[in-house]
Amino acid sequence: MNKKMIIGIIAVILVALIIAIPQYESYQSTLLSENFNKTLQNASAVETEIASTTNQINQQNSTDADTLIHTINNQITPKYSEELLRLNETKTNTNNDTEKQYIDLQMKRVQLESKNLNATVTLLNALSQYVKGEKTALDAQNTINQASTDNAQSSTELNQVYNDIKTFLDQNPDLNKKLHDLNLDSAYYGQLEKQNIADNTNTQANVTQ
């Protein structure tokens, strides 16, 4: 094989690489974007399930505290863990810093909503223990007071995060449009519609006389 032929082969290989590399990078970018959209929609679907269960509970006239605790622990709390998992997956499917910042805000929202719900469970459990005679009125009230304080603090932080999400999307219209095209749950647009479990048990929050 002479020198000119070798040079020709090398030139052909270089041209092929020049053409193939951008195409491969474009393919990878498209695949990453598709996976980002899919995993984000999966996370949103979990949030919608949480909102639906919460609304069903709040529409009931009266719910036994133990039944409510069981429903929260088995039907809502695990969903928050699942939503965080899906959001983590979403974050790994983007190299875009803006999208990563957005996912961080959503993860903070989910963590605060979960914290808020945990405070509600603590409050309900104190009420249940008081009714059953497992806690004195004073002990139950102290637990309720602390849980109410925790709930109020996390609610304040949560409201701020919702505002931060909305502001962030307003500042990034391209991302905002992309997300709205995905038809996500309202929480993913910074719209606070789902509230925490309402106090609709057949016991009172104030147990002391």
Side-chain angles (χ1 to χ4, degrees):
M1 185 178 293
N2 60 42
K3 187 175 181 180
K4 287 184 179 180
M5 187 175 292
I6 293 174
I7 292 174
I9 293 172
I10 293 175
V12 170
I13 293 173
L14 289 175
V15 170
L17 287 173
I18 290 172
I19 296 173
I21 290 176
Q23 290 179 338
Y24 176 75
E25 290 178 345
S26 176
Y27 167 76
Q28 287 294 98
S29 177
T30 300
L31 183 62
L32 203 61
S33 179
E34 289 175 352
N35 288 337
F36 176 88
N37 294 346
K38 181 179 179 180
T39 51
L40 186 59
Q41 286 176 319
N42 289 341
S44 171
V46 176
E47 178 65 27
T48 299
E49 290 177 11
I50 293 172
S52 177
T53 303
T54 300
N55 289 334
Q56 289 175 15
I57 292 173
N58 288 340
Q59 288 172 4
Q60 298 176 12
N61 292 327
S62 181
T63 304
D64 176 75
D66 287 337
T67 300
L68 187 51
I69 291 170
H70 182 270
T71 301
I72 292 172
N73 288 339
N74 288 277
Q75 296 185 31
I76 302 182
T77 300
K79 289 295 182 181
Y80 279 125
S81 297
E82 182 181 352
E83 188 173 2
L84 281 175
L85 179 62
R86 301 293 166 246
L87 286 170
N88 268 312
E89 291 175 351
T90 305
K91 191 174 180 179
T92 64
N93 284 314
T94 181
N95 293 322
N96 184 291
D97 288 339
T98 300
E99 290 179 348
K100 288 184 177 181
Q101 291 174 38
Y102 168 76
I103 296 301
D104 284 339
L105 283 172
Q106 287 295 342
M107 292 176 70
K108 185 175 182 180
R109 172 189 63 77
V110 174
Q111 289 165 346
L112 285 170
E113 287 182 347
S114 180
K115 180 180 178 181
N116 193 300
L117 191 63
N118 288 339
T120 299
V121 171
T122 299
L123 186 151
L124 291 170
N125 193 48
L127 288 172
S128 175
Q129 290 176 319
Y130 167 69
V131 170
K132 296 174 183 176
E134 297 172 358
K135 268 186 181 292
T136 65
L138 181 59
D139 286 343
Q141 190 63 57
N142 287 337
T143 300
I144 289 169
N145 290 345
Q146 183 59 55
S148 296
T149 298
D150 294 342
N151 191 297
Q153 290 176 345
S154 59
S155 293
T156 298
E157 294 179 54
L158 183 59
N159 287 335
Q160 182 58 55
V161 170
Y162 269 95
N163 288 333
D164 290 344
I165 292 170
K166 190 175 185 307
T167 299
F168 188 80
L169 292 179
D170 288 341
Q171 294 172 345
N172 295 277
D174 290 343
L175 176 61
N176 193 15
K177 182 182 183 308
K178 175 180 179 178
L179 297 178
H180 275 82
D181 288 344
L182 296 177
N183 296 315
L184 305 175
D185 185 270
S186 60
Y188 282 78
Y189 306 125
Q191 298 171 10
L192 180 57
E193 294 183 3
K194 175 175 63 61
Q195 301 296 323
N196 192 21
I197 302 298
D199 181 20
N200 62 346
T201 64
N202 52 18
T203 55
Q204 297 298 316
N206 191 346
V207 298
T208 58
Q209 301 299 323

